[in-house]
């Protein structure tokens, strides 16, 4: 198994809110540079709503000034990183619990290759490019099939996603973020030579590169 001694953990959620778009940028940039920077990138599905309430933070959407800034900043960042973003005309109030249990089940299934990355990308594409649902079983099935899973694999993962072990796993990873004093996503933990450093946001790549010993 690949190991560079530089482990980067990305805690993320396919959440139906504006912050998700910022997370997509972080996700795609890390995927883009993981080989060039020689890092062992690990995806850690978690539940943002649990983090928000567990940390005492408030969602960006409840602060009009913050929301206006984030939308404007997102447009510029999208252009800079070359990651097209299409903000939904109306933000859904549905949370991402079903989607994140599905993604957690994909991770726990241990399918070889970049399956977890592909499923996550497909869910984001549905929400932020084609503006489709990501909360219902039929929607998750469609996303899984488009990500390359077989019909049998999707059915097994859907069943697994409703099991208590998967519910407990998602809760456990969410609690892990709170132990790091996480208050929102994207949240990244870099491990180098036995030391861990946390980073928040999609504008910390220079500092991350410095910490892991790479130029940016």
């Amino acid at each position: 198994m690949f190991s560079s001694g530089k482990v980067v953990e990305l805690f993320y959620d396919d959440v139906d809110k504006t912050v998700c778009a910022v997370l997509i940028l972080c996700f795609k940039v890390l995927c883009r540079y993981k080989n060039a920077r020689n890092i062992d990138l690990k995806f850690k599905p978690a539940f943002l709503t649990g983090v928000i309430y567990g940390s005492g933070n408030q969602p960006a959407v409840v602060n009009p000034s913050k929301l206006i800034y984030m939308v404007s900043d997102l447009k510029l960042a999208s252009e800079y990183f070359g990651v097209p973003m299409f903000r939904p005309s109306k933000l859904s109030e549905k949370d991402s619990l079903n989607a994140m249990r599905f993604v957690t089940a994909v991770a726990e299934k241990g399918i070889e290759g970049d399956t977890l990355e592909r499923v996550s990308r497909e869910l984001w594409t549905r929400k932020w490019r084609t503006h489709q649902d990501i909360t219902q079983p039929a929607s998750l099935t469609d996303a899984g099939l488009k990500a390359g899973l077989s019909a049998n694999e999707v059915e097994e993962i859907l069943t697994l996603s409703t099991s208590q072990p998967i519910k407990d796993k998602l809760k456990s990873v969410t609690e892990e973020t709170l132990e790091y004093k996480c208050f929102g996503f994207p949240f990244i933990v870099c491990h180098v030579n036995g030391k861990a450093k946390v980073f928040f946001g999609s504008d910390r790549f220079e500092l991350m590169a410095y910490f892991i010993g790479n130029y940016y």
Side-chain angles (χ1 to χ4, degrees):
M1 181 179 293
F2 168 79
S3 178
S4 65
K6 301 173 182 178
V7 178
V8 176
E9 297 177 310
L10 173 63
F11 293 87
Y12 70 101
D13 186 330
D14 292 301
V15 71
D16 286 15
K17 297 179 176 68
T18 301
V19 66
C20 179
V22 181
L23 178 50
I24 297 171
L25 289 173
C26 183
F27 181 94
K28 291 191 174 183
V29 170
L30 287 175
C31 288
R32 182 183 298 172
Y33 291 111
K34 62 182 178 182
N35 292 328
R37 303 302 180 187
N38 194 31
I39 60 175
D40 186 2
L41 179 60
K42 297 184 180 299
F43 301 114
K44 304 290 288 285
F47 187 42
L48 179 58
T49 300
V51 169
I52 293 294
Y53 287 105
S55 65
N57 196 4
Q58 287 187 322
V61 293
V62 305
N63 186 320
S65 296
K66 183 184 291 187
L67 181 59
I68 291 172
Y69 172 79
M70 287 184 66
V71 172
S72 174
D73 187 61
L74 174 63
K75 183 178 183 298
L76 183 61
S78 172
E79 295 172 357
Y80 177 77
F81 288 114
V83 178
M85 302 298 301
F86 303 91
R87 181 175 180 265
S89 58
K90 182 178 181 180
L91 294 176
S92 171
E93 292 302 320
K94 296 179 180 178
D95 67 34
S96 60
L97 185 57
N98 288 343
M100 294 318 296
R101 285 175 176 169
F102 183 79
V103 173
T104 299
V106 171
E108 290 299 289
K109 192 70 175 173
I111 301 173
E112 293 297 323
D114 60 350
T115 304
L116 180 58
E117 178 182 336
R118 287 186 283 110
V119 170
S120 298
R121 284 176 180 269
E122 186 57 42
L123 288 170
W124 278 323
T125 296
R126 288 181 66 85
K127 183 59 190 178
W128 289 92
R129 300 188 94 175
T130 59
H131 303 169
Q132 295 173 282
D133 173 72
I134 63 167
T135 65
Q136 299 301 313
S139 303
L140 298 173
T141 295
D142 188 52
L145 293 173
K146 288 183 177 178
L149 294 170
S150 69
N152 286 338
E153 286 175 326
V154 171
E155 184 176 357
E156 291 176 3
I157 290 169
L158 274 174
T159 300
L160 182 61
S161 70
T162 62
S163 69
Q164 194 58 48
I166 290 300
K167 294 177 182 179
D168 291 342
K169 178 63 178 180
L170 180 59
K171 181 179 179 181
S172 173
V173 176
T174 302
E175 290 174 343
E176 182 183 351
T177 69
L178 294 173
E179 291 175 1
Y180 280 116
K181 307 305 180 184
C182 174
F183 52 87
F185 291 159
F187 188 74
I188 306 146
V189 182
C190 296
H191 302 267
V192 180
N193 299 324
K195 296 181 179 180
K197 181 69 175 177
V198 302
F199 298 90
F200 171 77
S202 61
D203 57 354
R204 287 293 182 260
F205 299 116
E206 293 92 341
L207 290 178
M208 288 171 56
Y210 174 76
F211 179 73
I212 66 178
N214 283 337
Y215 64 89
Y216 183 78

